[in-house]
């Protein structure tokens, strides 16, 4: 239903709930059933089971109908109900210039693996954005007030890869404005 999709676009700021990439400027975005409707038909129309995702995170090679139980390392992390910071480190590696999602625990590992949160094309795009955030965070740590405002802005949920921006704010002990 178009109103459902519009509400999800607003709720997720036009970003994929899983990889934090902006979606709606290049694609329609998928209505994602966190618990797959093929396995949980009773949850098909439950609002709390609906997310906005990109077509790659939601395709059959990634999330699709996958929903591992606890014996299989699951369940997947639900970014709408759980704090991803409890399951992942959002790290920028200065040696390689890459921004990577590193699991903190088994559920994080399973989620990263199934969703492909470190797939090549995603890491390339995310790293280009996060490299700029790193530069801004360094400037902010050296007293640049404009940079502090900019890195604070990057932390808002509307921006791509805000989890990485929050990680940089923490790493450089910056105050959020």
């Amino acid at each position: 239903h178009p109103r459902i999709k519009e509400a999800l676009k607003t709720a997720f700021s036009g970003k994929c709930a899983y990889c934090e990439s902006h979606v709606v400027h290049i694609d329609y975005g998928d209505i994602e059933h966190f618990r797959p409707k093929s396995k949980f038909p009773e949850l098909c129309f439950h609002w709390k089971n609906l997310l906005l995702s990109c077509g790659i995170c939601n395709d059959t090679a990634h999330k699709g109908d996958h929903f591992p139980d606890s014996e299989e390392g699951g369940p997947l992390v639900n970014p709408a109900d759980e704090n991803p910071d409890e399951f992942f480190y959002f790290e920028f590696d200065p040696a390689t210039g890459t921004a990577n999602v590193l699991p903190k625990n088994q559920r994080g590992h399973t989620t990263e693996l199934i969703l492909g949160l470190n797939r090549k094309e995603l890491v390339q795009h995310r790293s280009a954005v996060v490299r700029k955030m790193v530069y801004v965070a360094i400037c902010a740590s050296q007293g640049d007030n404009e940079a502090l405002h900019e890195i604070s802005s990057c932390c808002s949920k509307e921006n791509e890869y805000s989890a990485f921006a929050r990680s940089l704010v923490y790493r450089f002990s910056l105050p959020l404005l």
Side-chain angles (χ1 to χ4, degrees), residues 1 60 62 77 135 151 158 175 177:
H1 193 279
T60 57
H62 295 93
V77 175
Y135 175 76
I151 197 66
E158 291 79 23
L177 301 177

Side-chain angles (χ1 to χ4, degrees), residues 14-30:
K15 296 188 318 185
C16 175
Y18 298 122
C19 71
E20 279 201 301
S21 296
H22 280 138
V23 177
V24 297
H25 68 287
I26 57 167
D27 189 31
Y28 298 106
D30 290 352

Side-chain angles (χ1 to χ4, degrees), residues 95-162:
T96 62
T98 58
N100 302 292
V101 176
L102 305 175
K104 289 183 175 180
N105 51 43
Q106 184 59 48
R107 284 184 61 207
H109 175 73
T110 301
T111 302
E112 185 277 319
L113 190 65
I114 287 176
L115 294 172
L117 295 178
N118 288 313
R119 58 188 181 265
K120 181 182 175 184
E121 296 82 2
L122 174 57
V123 170
Q124 286 175 335
H125 176 72
R126 183 173 62 213
S127 296
V129 173
V130 174
R131 272 193 296 275
K132 293 172 187 167
M133 288 182 197
V134 170
Y135 175 76
V136 171
I138 290 169
C139 291
S141 73
Q142 295 171 346
D144 184 328
N145 234 15
E146 193 172 315
L148 183 58
H149 282 279
E150 184 62 29
I151 197 66
S152 292
S153 172
C154 291
C155 291
S156 75
K157 72 175 192 160
E158 291 79 23
N159 289 306
E160 273 188 317
Y161 318 121
S162 56

Side-chain angles (χ1 to χ4, degrees), residues 8-9 11-24 29-34 48-58 63 76-85 88 90 101 111 115 117 119 122 126 157 159-163 166:
L8 288 171
K9 286 179 185 179
F12 291 95
S13 302
K15 296 188 318 185
C16 175
Y18 298 122
C19 71
E20 279 201 301
S21 296
H22 280 138
V23 177
V24 297
D30 290 352
I31 293 178
E32 152 64 346
H33 293 84
F34 179 68
K48 286 193 155 259
N49 193 46
L50 302 177
L51 308 172
L52 183 70
S53 77
C54 68
I56 296 175
C57 283
N58 195 33
K63 167 72 171 54
L76 299 178
V77 175
N78 184 340
D81 284 342
E82 300 175 287
N83 181 355
D85 292 343
F88 305 106
F90 300 96
V101 176
T111 302
L115 294 172
L117 295 178
R119 58 188 181 265
L122 174 57
R126 183 173 62 213
K157 72 175 192 160
N159 289 306
E160 273 188 317
Y161 318 121
S162 56
R166 288 190 308 274

